């Protein structure tokens, strides 16, 4: 990453038009054998905004796919970021798959929890609540077992899930807040104040909402 080649490459990439950026990226992925996690991250990061502005978010996914195929170790080192960008791209295409990037982000939550929170904000904005609820519920036991995620991170995760369950309910009931059973809201609020909830109990609340 500190060789003369890479210094020149990043300079050329920064000054290139969109099509040139794509060509430079594809060429370096195919022919360089020293791409590590840092290089893979920097390469995709340099492409994300220009390609999205050009309406070519699908090309970002193709570049990520090619990195995964040609440089699996580099991809694995930054899989949480790659999944975050894939998830963002999916929000720009109605009906695009979100299950895979969400599952990858939460497969190793010790590394991907921050990116998951960032992506969840975007998904909520775009109304992709149902997919977010499903992924968040499935990963809850893994979050609870983690020895790397701090207590405040687990608290934030539970609070997010609480909000998502209510949003899902409200989305299904046009009566809005009047459609939420008061006892359910009270029970969930009490649980949140205690800052601890067994995964099985959240699943039970999900079914009741």
């Amino acid at each position: 990453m500190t060789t003369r080649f890479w210094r020149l490459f990043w300079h050329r990439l920064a000054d290139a038009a969109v099509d040139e950026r794509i060509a430079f990226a594809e060429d370096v992925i195919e022919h360089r054998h020293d791409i590590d996690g840092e290089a893979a991250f920097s390469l995709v990061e340099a492409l994300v905004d220009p390609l999205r502005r050009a309406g070519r978010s699908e090309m970002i996914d193709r570049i990520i796919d090619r990195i995964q195929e040609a440089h699996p170790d580099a991809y694995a080192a930054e899989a949480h970021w790659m999944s975050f960008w894939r998830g963002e791209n999916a929000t720009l295409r109605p009906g695009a798959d979100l299950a895979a990037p969400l599952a990858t982000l939460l497969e190793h939550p010790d590394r991907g929890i921050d990116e998951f929170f960032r992506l969840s904000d975007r998904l909520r904005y775009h109304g992709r609540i149902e997919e977010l609820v499903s992924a968040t519920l499935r990963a809850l036991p893994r979050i609870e077992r983690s020895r790397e995620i701090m207590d405040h991170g687990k608290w934030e995760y539970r609070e997010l899930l609480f909000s998502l369950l209510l949003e899902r309910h409200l989305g299904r009931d046009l009566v809005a807040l009047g459609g939420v059973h008061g006892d359910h809201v009270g029970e969930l609020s009490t649980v949140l104040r205690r800052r601890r909830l067994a995964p099985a109990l959240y699943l039970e609340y999900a079914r009741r909402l």
Side-chain angles (χ1 to χ4, degrees):
M1 285 293 293
T2 58
T3 65
R4 182 172 181 272
F5 169 82
W6 285 108
R7 288 196 298 271
L8 292 173
F9 174 79
W10 297 124
H11 180 74
R12 291 177 64 199
L13 189 68
D15 292 338
V18 169
D19 286 336
E20 290 178 313
R21 287 187 185 224
I22 294 171
F24 289 161
E26 291 176 332
D27 183 70
V28 80
I29 291 169
E30 296 300 325
H31 298 106
R32 296 292 299 191
H33 302 292
D34 57 346
I35 292 182
D36 57 11
E38 181 183 356
F41 172 86
S42 298
L43 182 59
V44 179
E45 184 184 40
L47 296 171
V48 166
D49 287 343
L51 266 61
R52 285 181 182 160
R53 286 196 297 269
R56 302 180 66 177
S57 62
E58 76 288 344
M59 182 56 68
I60 302 169
D61 290 337
R62 293 181 193 174
I63 294 292
I64 293 174
D65 288 343
R66 191 65 195 116
I67 291 173
Q68 186 175 13
E69 294 166 359
H71 307 279
D73 291 341
Y75 173 86
E78 298 294 337
H80 49 300
W81 273 108
M82 302 299 174
S83 297
F84 171 76
W85 284 317
R86 280 173 164 160
E88 278 195 323
N89 290 339
T91 66
L92 302 175
R93 300 194 295 271
D97 174 58
L98 274 169
L102 283 172
T104 302
L105 267 179
L106 293 171
E107 182 178 358
H108 302 289
D110 298 349
R111 289 193 301 161
I113 191 67
D114 290 336
E115 287 70 37
F116 170 74
F117 285 140
R118 291 188 187 97
L119 182 57
S120 70
D121 290 339
R122 289 159 175 75
L123 297 183
R124 294 172 82 175
Y125 177 81
H126 288 279
R128 307 291 289 268
I129 300 299
E130 193 64 41
E131 294 146 300
L132 190 53
V133 165
S134 297
T136 308
L137 281 169
R138 280 196 303 270
L140 179 62
R142 198 175 300 121
I143 300 294
E144 296 287 353
R145 290 194 302 267
S146 173
R147 297 182 179 180
E148 301 296 328
I149 299 175
M150 303 295 288
D151 286 345
H152 68 82
K154 294 180 180 181
W155 161 249
E156 185 178 354
Y157 192 91
R158 297 183 202 111
E159 188 175 31
L160 170 64
L161 183 50
F162 167 78
S163 299
L164 289 171
L165 290 172
L166 289 182
E167 283 184 46
R168 182 175 71 172
H169 184 83
L170 294 174
R172 291 173 175 176
D173 189 346
L174 296 181
V175 181
L177 194 58
V180 178
H181 299 298
D183 57 338
H184 292 178
V185 175
E187 289 167 2
L188 284 169
S189 298
T190 299
V191 166
L192 279 175
R193 284 197 298 272
R194 292 174 181 167
R195 299 193 174 203
R196 186 69 181 173
L197 180 63
L201 197 53
Y202 252 129
L203 294 173
E204 175 61 24
Y205 282 129
R207 286 191 290 267
R208 292 172 64 184
L209 286 175

